[in-house]
mmCIF file of all heavy atoms in Angstrom:
data_model
loop_
_atom_site.group_PDB
_atom_site.id
_atom_site.type_symbol
_atom_site.label_atom_id
_atom_site.label_comp_id
_atom_site.label_asym_id
_atom_site.label_seq_id
_atom_site.Cartn_x
_atom_site.Cartn_y
_atom_site.Cartn_z
ATOM 1 N N PRO Z 80 121.440 87.772 103.775
ATOM 2 C CA PRO Z 80 120.676 87.129 104.919
ATOM 3 C C PRO Z 80 120.209 88.220 105.900
ATOM 4 O O PRO Z 80 120.921 89.208 106.124
ATOM 5 C CB PRO Z 80 121.672 86.162 105.468
ATOM 6 C CG PRO Z 80 122.717 85.989 104.474
ATOM 7 C CD PRO Z 80 122.817 87.173 103.628
ATOM 8 N N ILE Z 81 119.061 88.027 106.424
ATOM 9 C CA ILE Z 81 118.627 88.919 107.528
ATOM 10 C C ILE Z 81 118.139 88.212 108.722
ATOM 11 O O ILE Z 81 117.958 86.978 108.691
ATOM 12 C CB ILE Z 81 117.308 89.786 107.011
ATOM 13 C CG1 ILE Z 81 116.732 89.331 105.645
ATOM 14 C CG2 ILE Z 81 117.604 91.298 107.093
ATOM 15 C CD1 ILE Z 81 115.568 90.132 105.251
ATOM 16 N N SER Z 82 117.994 88.931 109.840
ATOM 17 C CA SER Z 82 117.792 88.298 111.066
ATOM 18 C C SER Z 82 116.335 87.734 111.027
ATOM 19 O O SER Z 82 115.456 88.300 110.450
ATOM 20 C CB SER Z 82 117.890 89.268 112.306
ATOM 21 O OG SER Z 82 116.776 90.101 112.360
ATOM 22 N N LEU Z 83 116.140 86.565 111.736
ATOM 23 C CA LEU Z 83 114.839 85.951 111.730
ATOM 24 C C LEU Z 83 113.751 86.795 112.341
ATOM 25 O O LEU Z 83 112.599 86.828 111.675
ATOM 26 C CB LEU Z 83 114.962 84.668 112.582
ATOM 27 C CG LEU Z 83 113.742 83.860 112.728
ATOM 28 C CD1 LEU Z 83 113.160 83.468 111.374
ATOM 29 C CD2 LEU Z 83 113.996 82.534 113.561
ATOM 30 N N GLU Z 84 114.045 87.582 113.322
ATOM 31 C CA GLU Z 84 113.091 88.452 113.885
ATOM 32 C C GLU Z 84 112.642 89.525 112.825
ATOM 33 O O GLU Z 84 111.353 89.745 112.643
ATOM 34 C CB GLU Z 84 113.812 89.197 114.984
ATOM 35 C CG GLU Z 84 113.103 90.185 115.736
ATOM 36 C CD GLU Z 84 113.953 91.187 116.400
ATOM 37 O OE1 GLU Z 84 114.426 92.027 115.695
ATOM 38 O OE2 GLU Z 84 114.159 91.099 117.596
ATOM 39 N N LYS Z 85 113.471 90.000 112.031
ATOM 40 C CA LYS Z 85 113.192 90.989 111.007
ATOM 41 C C LYS Z 85 112.352 90.351 109.953
ATOM 42 O O LYS Z 85 111.372 90.881 109.386
ATOM 43 C CB LYS Z 85 114.429 91.633 110.307
ATOM 44 C CG LYS Z 85 114.947 92.841 111.062
ATOM 45 C CD LYS Z 85 115.986 93.490 110.076
ATOM 46 C CE LYS Z 85 116.672 94.621 110.852
ATOM 47 N NZ LYS Z 85 117.844 94.951 110.235
ATOM 48 N N ILE Z 86 112.754 89.098 109.561
ATOM 49 C CA ILE Z 86 112.041 88.325 108.509
ATOM 50 C C ILE Z 86 110.571 88.190 109.051
ATOM 51 O O ILE Z 86 109.550 88.420 108.291
ATOM 52 C CB ILE Z 86 112.641 86.982 108.284
ATOM 53 C CG1 ILE Z 86 114.006 87.175 107.559
ATOM 54 C CG2 ILE Z 86 111.758 86.138 107.508
ATOM 55 C CD1 ILE Z 86 114.815 85.934 107.336
ATOM 56 N N LEU Z 87 110.352 87.758 110.298
ATOM 57 C CA LEU Z 87 108.985 87.459 110.756
ATOM 58 C C LEU Z 87 108.202 88.737 110.726
ATOM 59 O O LEU Z 87 106.964 88.793 110.401
ATOM 60 C CB LEU Z 87 109.065 86.878 112.190
ATOM 61 C CG LEU Z 87 109.580 85.437 112.210
ATOM 62 C CD1 LEU Z 87 109.959 85.124 113.655
ATOM 63 C CD2 LEU Z 87 108.608 84.499 111.635
ATOM 64 N N GLN Z 90 106.916 89.790 107.390
ATOM 65 C CA GLN Z 90 105.896 88.922 106.818
ATOM 66 C C GLN Z 90 104.601 89.147 107.583
ATOM 67 O O GLN Z 90 103.541 88.581 107.173
ATOM 68 C CB GLN Z 90 106.257 87.426 106.946
ATOM 69 C CG GLN Z 90 107.437 87.080 106.171
ATOM 70 C CD GLN Z 90 107.428 87.353 104.663
ATOM 71 O OE1 GLN Z 90 106.728 86.710 103.957
ATOM 72 N NE2 GLN Z 90 108.000 88.486 104.188
ATOM 73 N N PHE Z 92 104.080 89.030 111.139
ATOM 74 C CA PHE Z 92 103.712 88.143 112.312
ATOM 75 C C PHE Z 92 103.617 89.027 113.583
ATOM 76 O O PHE Z 92 103.489 88.435 114.686
ATOM 77 C CB PHE Z 92 104.735 87.069 112.421
ATOM 78 C CG PHE Z 92 104.385 85.965 111.381
ATOM 79 C CD1 PHE Z 92 105.125 85.860 110.248
ATOM 80 C CD2 PHE Z 92 103.327 85.124 111.518
ATOM 81 C CE1 PHE Z 92 104.778 84.911 109.322
ATOM 82 C CE2 PHE Z 92 102.943 84.142 110.520
ATOM 83 C CZ PHE Z 92 103.663 84.049 109.393
ATOM 84 N N CYS Z 98 107.594 88.928 117.602
ATOM 85 C CA CYS Z 98 108.285 87.965 116.676
ATOM 86 C C CYS Z 98 109.405 87.230 117.417
ATOM 87 O O CYS Z 98 109.625 86.080 117.263
ATOM 88 C CB CYS Z 98 108.867 88.623 115.390
ATOM 89 S SG CYS Z 98 107.466 89.178 114.344
ATOM 90 N N LEU Z 101 107.963 84.864 119.710
ATOM 91 C CA LEU Z 101 107.492 83.559 119.042
ATOM 92 C C LEU Z 101 108.579 82.603 119.001
ATOM 93 O O LEU Z 101 108.397 81.429 119.146
ATOM 94 C CB LEU Z 101 107.011 83.976 117.578
ATOM 95 C CG LEU Z 101 105.627 84.612 117.501
ATOM 96 C CD1 LEU Z 101 105.494 85.033 116.042
ATOM 97 C CD2 LEU Z 101 104.613 83.634 117.933
ATOM 98 N N VAL Z 102 109.889 83.125 118.602
ATOM 99 C CA VAL Z 102 111.041 82.195 118.464
ATOM 100 C C VAL Z 102 111.365 81.545 119.832
ATOM 101 O O VAL Z 102 111.458 80.350 120.031
ATOM 102 C CB VAL Z 102 112.203 82.937 117.912
ATOM 103 C CG1 VAL Z 102 113.407 82.066 117.803
ATOM 104 C CG2 VAL Z 102 111.887 83.534 116.549
ATOM 105 N N TYR Z 103 111.411 82.419 120.894
ATOM 106 C CA TYR Z 103 111.740 81.918 122.203
ATOM 107 C C TYR Z 103 110.733 80.965 122.703
ATOM 108 O O TYR Z 103 111.105 80.096 123.519
ATOM 109 C CB TYR Z 103 111.860 83.057 123.232
ATOM 110 C CG TYR Z 103 113.234 83.888 122.942
ATOM 111 C CD1 TYR Z 103 113.075 85.296 122.847
ATOM 112 C CD2 TYR Z 103 114.407 83.254 122.912
ATOM 113 C CE1 TYR Z 103 114.230 86.017 122.638
ATOM 114 C CE2 TYR Z 103 115.572 84.023 122.669
ATOM 115 C CZ TYR Z 103 115.483 85.388 122.566
ATOM 116 O OH TYR Z 103 116.632 86.196 122.293
ATOM 117 N N ASP Z 105 109.426 78.709 120.988
ATOM 118 C CA ASP Z 105 109.519 77.439 120.113
ATOM 119 C C ASP Z 105 108.433 77.319 119.105
ATOM 120 O O ASP Z 105 107.931 76.266 118.907
ATOM 121 C CB ASP Z 105 109.545 76.207 121.073
ATOM 122 C CG ASP Z 105 110.921 76.070 121.741
ATOM 123 O OD1 ASP Z 105 111.788 76.826 121.358
ATOM 124 O OD2 ASP Z 105 111.031 75.276 122.709
ATOM 125 N N LEU Z 106 107.995 78.456 118.738
ATOM 126 C CA LEU Z 106 106.764 78.468 117.784
ATOM 127 C C LEU Z 106 107.214 78.708 116.236
ATOM 128 O O LEU Z 106 106.285 79.001 115.496
ATOM 129 C CB LEU Z 106 105.700 79.535 118.224
ATOM 130 C CG LEU Z 106 105.088 79.164 119.576
ATOM 131 C CD1 LEU Z 106 104.182 80.329 120.004
ATOM 132 C CD2 LEU Z 106 104.150 77.890 119.379
ATOM 133 N N VAL Z 107 108.527 78.802 116.015
ATOM 134 C CA VAL Z 107 109.000 79.054 114.719
ATOM 135 C C VAL Z 107 109.945 78.028 114.201
ATOM 136 O O VAL Z 107 110.864 77.680 114.871
ATOM 137 C CB VAL Z 107 109.611 80.433 114.650
ATOM 138 C CG1 VAL Z 107 110.201 80.774 113.252
ATOM 139 C CG2 VAL Z 107 108.731 81.545 115.095
ATOM 140 N N LYS Z 108 109.667 77.528 112.976
ATOM 141 C CA LYS Z 108 110.653 76.632 112.330
ATOM 142 C C LYS Z 108 111.077 77.374 111.084
ATOM 143 O O LYS Z 108 110.320 78.069 110.360
ATOM 144 C CB LYS Z 108 109.939 75.272 111.922
ATOM 145 C CG LYS Z 108 109.698 74.418 113.074
ATOM 146 C CD LYS Z 108 109.039 73.095 112.682
ATOM 147 C CE LYS Z 108 108.745 72.268 113.852
ATOM 148 N NZ LYS Z 108 107.875 71.124 113.366
ATOM 149 N N VAL Z 109 112.381 77.143 110.700
ATOM 150 C CA VAL Z 109 112.971 77.620 109.536
ATOM 151 C C VAL Z 109 113.383 76.536 108.689
ATOM 152 O O VAL Z 109 114.207 75.700 109.057
ATOM 153 C CB VAL Z 109 114.186 78.528 109.885
ATOM 154 C CG1 VAL Z 109 114.921 78.898 108.622
ATOM 155 C CG2 VAL Z 109 113.799 79.707 110.666
ATOM 156 N N ASN Z 110 112.746 76.453 107.530
ATOM 157 C CA ASN Z 110 112.931 75.284 106.553
ATOM 158 C C ASN Z 110 112.917 73.986 107.360
ATOM 159 O O ASN Z 110 113.762 73.026 107.100
ATOM 160 C CB ASN Z 110 114.343 75.459 105.873
ATOM 161 C CG ASN Z 110 114.279 76.676 105.010
ATOM 162 O OD1 ASN Z 110 113.379 76.981 104.441
ATOM 163 N ND2 ASN Z 110 115.445 77.375 105.021
ATOM 164 N N GLY Z 111 111.868 73.853 108.269
ATOM 165 C CA GLY Z 111 111.578 72.517 108.976
ATOM 166 C C GLY Z 111 112.409 72.345 110.182
ATOM 167 O O GLY Z 111 112.111 71.386 110.870
ATOM 168 N N VAL Z 112 113.304 73.332 110.515
ATOM 169 C CA VAL Z 112 114.107 73.078 111.745
ATOM 170 C C VAL Z 112 113.716 74.157 112.725
ATOM 171 O O VAL Z 112 113.642 75.347 112.498
ATOM 172 C CB VAL Z 112 115.605 73.246 111.395
ATOM 173 C CG1 VAL Z 112 116.484 73.185 112.662
ATOM 174 C CG2 VAL Z 112 116.067 72.233 110.303
ATOM 175 N N LEU Z 113 113.449 73.631 114.030
ATOM 176 C CA LEU Z 113 113.147 74.621 115.083
ATOM 177 C C LEU Z 113 114.120 75.731 115.248
ATOM 178 O O LEU Z 113 115.310 75.443 115.430
ATOM 179 C CB LEU Z 113 112.921 73.821 116.399
ATOM 180 C CG LEU Z 113 112.180 74.540 117.493
ATOM 181 C CD1 LEU Z 113 110.748 74.846 117.209
ATOM 182 C CD2 LEU Z 113 112.273 73.719 118.806
ATOM 183 N N ALA Z 114 113.651 76.954 115.265
ATOM 184 C CA ALA Z 114 114.592 78.111 115.425
ATOM 185 C C ALA Z 114 114.787 78.410 116.917
ATOM 186 O O ALA Z 114 113.904 78.146 117.655
ATOM 187 C CB ALA Z 114 113.983 79.320 114.758
ATOM 188 N N GLU Z 115 116.016 78.890 117.244
ATOM 189 C CA GLU Z 115 116.279 79.051 118.629
ATOM 190 C C GLU Z 115 116.686 80.564 118.862
ATOM 191 O O GLU Z 115 116.478 81.070 120.029
ATOM 192 C CB GLU Z 115 117.434 78.206 119.112
ATOM 193 C CG GLU Z 115 117.031 76.787 119.188
ATOM 194 C CD GLU Z 115 118.125 75.852 119.570
ATOM 195 O OE1 GLU Z 115 119.345 76.318 119.730
ATOM 196 O OE2 GLU Z 115 117.897 74.670 119.755
ATOM 197 N N ASP Z 116 117.194 81.200 117.816
ATOM 198 C CA ASP Z 116 117.799 82.478 118.050
ATOM 199 C C ASP Z 116 117.128 83.549 117.143
ATOM 200 O O ASP Z 116 117.353 83.435 115.888
ATOM 201 C CB ASP Z 116 119.335 82.466 117.710
ATOM 202 C CG ASP Z 116 119.952 83.780 117.928
ATOM 203 O OD1 ASP Z 116 119.306 84.773 118.383
ATOM 204 O OD2 ASP Z 116 121.119 83.878 117.619
ATOM 205 N N PRO Z 117 116.330 84.505 117.633
ATOM 206 C CA PRO Z 117 115.677 85.381 116.761
ATOM 207 C C PRO Z 117 116.713 86.332 115.975
ATOM 208 O O PRO Z 117 116.286 86.937 114.948
ATOM 209 C CB PRO Z 117 114.860 86.285 117.692
ATOM 210 C CG PRO Z 117 115.182 85.904 119.063
ATOM 211 C CD PRO Z 117 116.005 84.656 119.041
ATOM 212 N N GLU Z 118 118.005 86.452 116.447
ATOM 213 C CA GLU Z 118 118.983 87.253 115.766
ATOM 214 C C GLU Z 118 119.710 86.510 114.688
ATOM 215 O O GLU Z 118 120.425 87.085 113.942
ATOM 216 C CB GLU Z 118 120.065 87.647 116.732
ATOM 217 C CG GLU Z 118 119.474 88.615 117.889
ATOM 218 C CD GLU Z 118 118.855 89.978 117.278
ATOM 219 O OE1 GLU Z 118 119.277 90.382 116.294
ATOM 220 O OE2 GLU Z 118 117.806 90.307 117.980
ATOM 221 N N GLU Z 119 119.430 85.161 114.600
ATOM 222 C CA GLU Z 119 120.215 84.402 113.581
ATOM 223 C C GLU Z 119 119.885 85.010 112.091
ATOM 224 O O GLU Z 119 118.694 85.292 111.841
ATOM 225 C CB GLU Z 119 119.638 82.920 113.641
ATOM 226 C CG GLU Z 119 120.398 81.979 112.682
ATOM 227 C CD GLU Z 119 119.789 80.680 112.649
ATOM 228 O OE1 GLU Z 119 118.880 80.350 113.429
ATOM 229 O OE2 GLU Z 119 120.172 79.932 111.763
ATOM 230 N N ARG Z 120 120.888 85.074 111.371
ATOM 231 C CA ARG Z 120 120.708 85.573 109.984
ATOM 232 C C ARG Z 120 120.436 84.463 109.050
ATOM 233 O O ARG Z 120 121.115 83.430 109.053
ATOM 234 C CB ARG Z 120 121.961 86.454 109.543
ATOM 235 C CG ARG Z 120 122.122 87.697 110.271
ATOM 236 C CD ARG Z 120 123.285 88.512 109.855
ATOM 237 N NE ARG Z 120 123.199 89.733 110.595
ATOM 238 C CZ ARG Z 120 122.540 90.814 110.169
ATOM 239 N NH1 ARG Z 120 122.050 90.783 108.930
ATOM 240 N NH2 ARG Z 120 122.432 91.877 110.851
ATOM 241 N N ILE Z 121 119.399 84.763 108.241
ATOM 242 C CA ILE Z 121 118.878 83.683 107.415
ATOM 243 C C ILE Z 121 118.737 84.196 105.965
ATOM 244 O O ILE Z 121 118.257 85.272 105.721
ATOM 245 C CB ILE Z 121 117.434 83.233 107.927
ATOM 246 C CG1 ILE Z 121 117.739 82.722 109.484
ATOM 247 C CG2 ILE Z 121 116.720 82.211 107.149
ATOM 248 C CD1 ILE Z 121 116.642 81.989 110.031
ATOM 249 N N ALA Z 122 119.022 83.204 105.075
ATOM 250 C CA ALA Z 122 118.785 83.579 103.633
ATOM 251 C C ALA Z 122 117.274 83.452 103.309
ATOM 252 O O ALA Z 122 116.682 82.487 103.642
ATOM 253 C CB ALA Z 122 119.603 82.605 102.743
ATOM 254 N N THR Z 123 116.831 84.474 102.571
ATOM 255 C CA THR Z 123 115.317 84.429 102.320
ATOM 256 C C THR Z 123 114.875 83.702 101.073
ATOM 257 O O THR Z 123 113.745 83.400 100.975
ATOM 258 C CB THR Z 123 114.908 85.959 102.249
ATOM 259 O OG1 THR Z 123 115.656 86.611 101.289
ATOM 260 C CG2 THR Z 123 114.946 86.608 103.555
ATOM 261 N N GLU Z 124 115.900 83.449 100.226
ATOM 262 C CA GLU Z 124 115.562 82.786 99.014
ATOM 263 C C GLU Z 124 114.890 81.333 99.189
ATOM 264 O O GLU Z 124 115.619 80.498 99.894
ATOM 265 C CB GLU Z 124 116.818 82.653 98.127
ATOM 266 C CG GLU Z 124 116.449 82.442 96.691
ATOM 267 C CD GLU Z 124 117.313 83.475 95.835
ATOM 268 O OE1 GLU Z 124 117.475 84.666 96.325
ATOM 269 O OE2 GLU Z 124 117.782 83.011 94.751
ATOM 270 N N GLY Z 125 113.683 81.162 98.767
ATOM 271 C CA GLY Z 125 113.058 79.884 98.884
ATOM 272 C C GLY Z 125 112.714 79.433 100.349
ATOM 273 O O GLY Z 125 112.442 78.314 100.577
ATOM 274 N N LEU Z 126 112.839 80.446 101.201
ATOM 275 C CA LEU Z 126 112.578 80.146 102.731
ATOM 276 C C LEU Z 126 111.158 79.811 103.016
ATOM 277 O O LEU Z 126 110.196 80.391 102.535
ATOM 278 C CB LEU Z 126 112.985 81.517 103.469
ATOM 279 C CG LEU Z 126 112.600 81.548 104.946
ATOM 280 C CD1 LEU Z 126 113.386 80.411 105.739
ATOM 281 C CD2 LEU Z 126 112.878 82.967 105.490
ATOM 282 N N ILE Z 127 111.089 78.717 103.785
ATOM 283 C CA ILE Z 127 109.677 78.286 104.172
ATOM 284 C C ILE Z 127 109.709 78.410 105.737
ATOM 285 O O ILE Z 127 110.498 77.665 106.406
ATOM 286 C CB ILE Z 127 109.401 76.911 103.866
ATOM 287 C CG1 ILE Z 127 109.553 76.595 102.385
ATOM 288 C CG2 ILE Z 127 108.017 76.499 104.288
ATOM 289 C CD1 ILE Z 127 108.412 77.112 101.473
ATOM 290 N N LEU Z 128 108.851 79.237 106.267
ATOM 291 C CA LEU Z 128 108.895 79.355 107.693
ATOM 292 C C LEU Z 128 107.587 78.568 108.168
ATOM 293 O O LEU Z 128 106.674 78.171 107.362
ATOM 294 C CB LEU Z 128 108.430 80.868 108.038
ATOM 295 C CG LEU Z 128 109.488 81.854 107.761
ATOM 296 C CD1 LEU Z 128 108.853 83.299 107.730
ATOM 297 C CD2 LEU Z 128 110.712 81.777 108.709
ATOM 298 N N ASN Z 129 107.685 78.117 109.422
ATOM 299 C CA ASN Z 129 106.466 77.582 110.038
ATOM 300 C C ASN Z 129 106.261 78.338 111.353
ATOM 301 O O ASN Z 129 107.106 78.379 112.135
ATOM 302 C CB ASN Z 129 106.640 76.064 110.265
ATOM 303 C CG ASN Z 129 105.406 75.402 110.923
ATOM 304 O OD1 ASN Z 129 105.099 75.719 112.021
ATOM 305 N ND2 ASN Z 129 104.786 74.627 110.145
ATOM 306 N N VAL Z 130 105.087 78.970 111.434
ATOM 307 C CA VAL Z 130 104.801 79.793 112.616
ATOM 308 C C VAL Z 130 103.540 79.276 113.222
ATOM 309 O O VAL Z 130 102.439 79.252 112.611
ATOM 310 C CB VAL Z 130 104.752 81.251 112.131
ATOM 311 C CG1 VAL Z 130 104.433 82.175 113.459
ATOM 312 C CG2 VAL Z 130 105.976 81.744 111.392
ATOM 313 N N GLU Z 131 103.651 78.903 114.510
ATOM 314 C CA GLU Z 131 102.558 78.419 115.259
ATOM 315 C C GLU Z 131 101.856 77.339 114.490
ATOM 316 O O GLU Z 131 100.602 77.231 114.384
ATOM 317 C CB GLU Z 131 101.557 79.618 115.658
ATOM 318 C CG GLU Z 131 102.188 80.619 116.524
ATOM 319 C CD GLU Z 131 101.120 81.684 116.988
ATOM 320 O OE1 GLU Z 131 101.044 82.603 116.260
ATOM 321 O OE2 GLU Z 131 100.582 81.432 118.053
ATOM 322 N N GLY Z 132 102.658 76.461 113.874
ATOM 323 C CA GLY Z 132 102.122 75.239 113.272
ATOM 324 C C GLY Z 132 101.663 75.446 111.761
ATOM 325 O O GLY Z 132 101.281 74.477 111.138
ATOM 326 N N ARG Z 133 101.819 76.659 111.262
ATOM 327 C CA ARG Z 133 101.334 76.985 109.960
ATOM 328 C C ARG Z 133 102.526 77.277 108.997
ATOM 329 O O ARG Z 133 103.328 78.248 109.299
ATOM 330 C CB ARG Z 133 100.327 78.045 109.892
ATOM 331 C CG ARG Z 133 99.743 78.326 108.635
ATOM 332 C CD ARG Z 133 98.766 79.507 108.731
ATOM 333 N NE ARG Z 133 98.224 79.674 107.303
ATOM 334 C CZ ARG Z 133 97.006 80.001 107.032
ATOM 335 N NH1 ARG Z 133 96.103 80.235 108.061
ATOM 336 N NH2 ARG Z 133 96.607 80.052 105.753
ATOM 337 N N ASN Z 134 102.632 76.556 107.893
ATOM 338 C CA ASN Z 134 103.715 76.887 106.917
ATOM 339 C C ASN Z 134 103.433 78.169 106.304
ATOM 340 O O ASN Z 134 102.326 78.569 105.949
ATOM 341 C CB ASN Z 134 103.773 75.832 105.861
ATOM 342 C CG ASN Z 134 104.539 74.589 106.286
ATOM 343 O OD1 ASN Z 134 105.258 74.620 107.348
ATOM 344 N ND2 ASN Z 134 104.521 73.526 105.532
ATOM 345 N N TRP Z 135 104.555 78.923 105.997
ATOM 346 C CA TRP Z 135 104.420 80.261 105.411
ATOM 347 C C TRP Z 135 105.635 80.504 104.461
ATOM 348 O O TRP Z 135 106.689 80.601 105.056
ATOM 349 C CB TRP Z 135 104.312 81.340 106.505
ATOM 350 C CG TRP Z 135 104.100 82.659 106.090
ATOM 351 C CD1 TRP Z 135 104.862 83.668 105.777
ATOM 352 C CD2 TRP Z 135 102.676 83.115 105.760
ATOM 353 N NE1 TRP Z 135 104.200 84.764 105.303
ATOM 354 C CE2 TRP Z 135 102.914 84.514 105.333
ATOM 355 C CE3 TRP Z 135 101.459 82.610 105.945
ATOM 356 C CZ2 TRP Z 135 101.805 85.297 104.941
ATOM 357 C CZ3 TRP Z 135 100.400 83.381 105.577
ATOM 358 C CH2 TRP Z 135 100.532 84.658 105.134
ATOM 359 N N GLU Z 136 105.374 80.670 103.223
ATOM 360 C CA GLU Z 136 106.468 81.015 102.229
ATOM 361 C C GLU Z 136 106.831 82.363 102.495
ATOM 362 O O GLU Z 136 105.964 83.331 102.586
ATOM 363 C CB GLU Z 136 105.877 80.884 100.831
ATOM 364 C CG GLU Z 136 105.717 79.512 100.337
ATOM 365 C CD GLU Z 136 105.173 79.466 98.816
ATOM 366 O OE1 GLU Z 136 105.472 80.464 98.162
ATOM 367 O OE2 GLU Z 136 104.447 78.542 98.509
ATOM 368 N N PHE Z 137 108.188 82.641 102.495
ATOM 369 C CA PHE Z 137 108.685 84.041 102.562
ATOM 370 C C PHE Z 137 108.426 84.713 101.184
ATOM 371 O O PHE Z 137 108.831 84.143 100.171
ATOM 372 C CB PHE Z 137 110.138 84.043 102.895
ATOM 373 C CG PHE Z 137 110.732 85.472 102.781
ATOM 374 C CD1 PHE Z 137 110.715 86.298 103.887
ATOM 375 C CD2 PHE Z 137 111.352 85.913 101.622
ATOM 376 C CE1 PHE Z 137 111.140 87.568 103.791
ATOM 377 C CE2 PHE Z 137 111.719 87.177 101.515
ATOM 378 C CZ PHE Z 137 111.768 88.053 102.624
#
Side-chain angles (χ1 to χ4, degrees):
I81 7 177
S82 77
L83 179 55
E84 176 206 80
K85 270 194 192 161
I86 290 174
L87 290 166
Q90 299 301 284
F92 286 102
C98 290
L101 282 172
V102 178
Y103 288 129
D105 288 346
L106 292 171
V107 179
K108 287 184 186 164
V109 171
N110 297 324
V112 178
L113 192 66
E115 291 178 356
D116 178 6
E118 296 300 326
E119 185 188 349
R120 290 184 172 268
I121 298 193
T123 53
E124 202 131 320
L126 170 64
I127 309 280
L128 298 162
N129 181 292
V130 182
E131 296 185 276
R133 182 178 182 148
N134 277 348
W135 191 262
E136 284 178 29
F137 173 88

